[in-house]
């Protein structure tokens, strides 16, 4: 069963999501979440999500297939210039 999540977009991810800073979503993993967000906002965001980093409740998550905890906050951080 998908977990209810809060997704927060930062910098270029926010721009690619049409200026949305946060929204609710449901997904079992980051892999599923990225597909859901791409379907919702379009391929421009999909491209950003391919190279983005994700924080799950403030902790970096590199395994896009790991289960997401219910009620988690997911921060979408695109690559930043110069860093």
């Amino acid at each position: 069963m998908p977990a209810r999540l809060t997704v927060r977009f930062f910098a270029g991810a926010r721009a690619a999501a049409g200026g949305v800073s946060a929204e609710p979503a449901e997904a079992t993993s980051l892999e599923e979440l990225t597909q859901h967000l791409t379907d919702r906002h379009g391929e421009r965001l999909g491209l950003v999500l391919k190279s983005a980093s994700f924080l799950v409740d403030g902790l970096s998550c590199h395994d896009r297939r790991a289960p997401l905890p219910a009620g988690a906050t997911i921060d979408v951080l695109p690559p930043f210039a110069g860093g």
Side-chain angles (χ1 to χ4, degrees):
M1 179 171 208
R4 290 183 185 263
L5 311 164
T6 299
V7 181
R8 300 189 306 185
F9 300 100
F10 293 89
R14 180 180 295 164
V20 173
S21 61
E23 67 183 30
E26 291 187 5
T28 59
S29 66
L30 288 175
E31 188 174 68
E32 184 178 310
L33 179 63
T34 58
Q35 184 60 55
H36 173 73
L37 294 172
T38 300
D39 293 345
R40 183 184 289 174
H41 294 286
E43 196 55 39
R44 182 174 174 216
L45 179 60
L47 291 173
V48 171
L49 295 174
K50 287 180 182 180
S51 59
S53 297
F54 297 89
L55 299 180
V56 177
D57 288 335
L59 299 173
S60 182
C61 182
H62 301 287
D63 182 358
R64 292 188 180 213
R65 293 184 180 183
L68 294 172
T73 297
I74 311 300
D75 294 329
V76 180
L77 306 170
F80 294 96

